[in-house]
Amino acid sequence: MITVGFTGSRPQKLGGFILPNPTYNYVCQQTEKLLLELKPDKCISGLALGFDQYAAFICTKLKIPYIAAIPFKNQDAVWSDPQKKIYKSLLSKSYQQVIVSEGDYAAYKMQLRNQYIVDNSDIMIACYDGKPGGTNNCVNYAKSKNKQIIYITI
């Protein structure tokens, strides 16, 4: 059994919020290629805006079951209505939903979500520019746990 976890950038670093765009197309193509090669039994996505959601779209397309690892209840509370609609659609397509932390938003809960994803995955796919931030923190945690990390460089 192989479980693939995802971590990656938000739309601002992936060509913007208007989809499709060239970066979105590239990232989705690379993600699909990797998943077809890895043939995971399941995946784990945090369903955050950007790469997390792109990866969940690809899982849905390839009929790979995915767990929605939600950092806290109502993570979409401050998102736009169209963003909420996409999020709820992806949630409904997940085969399992895990709320990692109780209560409302707190920045540290994002890292707890990332740790959940890493701890429950065999392989991580990381899509980011290598700069400091939440994705980099997740990658460093995955390295500390000796997880295999496959990079999609943007």
Side-chain angles (χ1 to χ4, degrees):
M1 297 263 303
I2 296 174
T3 301
V4 171
F6 302 111
T7 186
S9 296
R10 302 296 154 251
Q12 298 89 325
K13 292 186 177 182
L14 296 172
F17 287 88
I18 297 172
L19 302 178
N21 63 60
T23 304
Y24 167 84
N25 291 337
Y26 169 77
V27 166
C28 288
Q29 289 167 357
Q30 293 303 306
T31 303
E32 183 170 346
K33 179 181 168 198
L34 288 169
L35 291 175
L36 288 170
E37 289 171 9
L38 294 169
K39 297 178 176 52
D41 299 286
K42 65 182 175 184
C43 296
I44 307 175
S45 173
L47 294 188
L49 298 173
F51 180 66
D52 291 9
Q53 290 189 0
Y54 304 170
F57 282 125
I58 300 302
C59 287
T60 300
K61 176 182 177 185
L62 299 177
K63 296 181 172 53
I64 300 169
Y66 64 91
I67 297 170
I70 310 305
F72 53 90
K73 203 170 190 176
N74 300 318
Q75 88 163 321
D76 64 334
V78 297
W79 297 354
S80 71
D81 287 339
Q83 291 167 340
K84 288 178 182 183
K85 184 177 179 183
I86 291 167
Y87 175 73
K88 291 191 185 338
S89 173
L90 289 170
L91 268 180
S92 73
K93 292 173 182 168
S94 66
Y95 88 92
Q96 183 181 355
Q97 299 171 17
V98 175
I99 297 174
V100 178
S101 299
E102 295 298 317
D104 295 325
Y105 169 83
Y108 75 92
K109 292 179 182 179
M110 304 303 183
Q111 183 61 25
L112 293 177
R113 182 261 331 267
N114 292 345
Q115 290 174 358
Y116 173 88
I117 294 170
V118 169
D119 291 344
N120 291 281
S121 297
D122 301 300
I123 301 169
M124 293 294 298
I125 296 177
C127 175
Y128 79 121
D129 58 9
K131 294 181 181 169
T135 301
N136 193 58
N137 292 343
C138 184
V139 166
N140 287 335
Y141 181 75
K143 287 178 183 177
S144 79
K145 296 295 183 176
N146 297 312
K147 299 290 180 166
Q148 178 183 352
I149 306 166
I150 301 170
Y151 297 93
I152 299 173
T153 305
I154 53 169

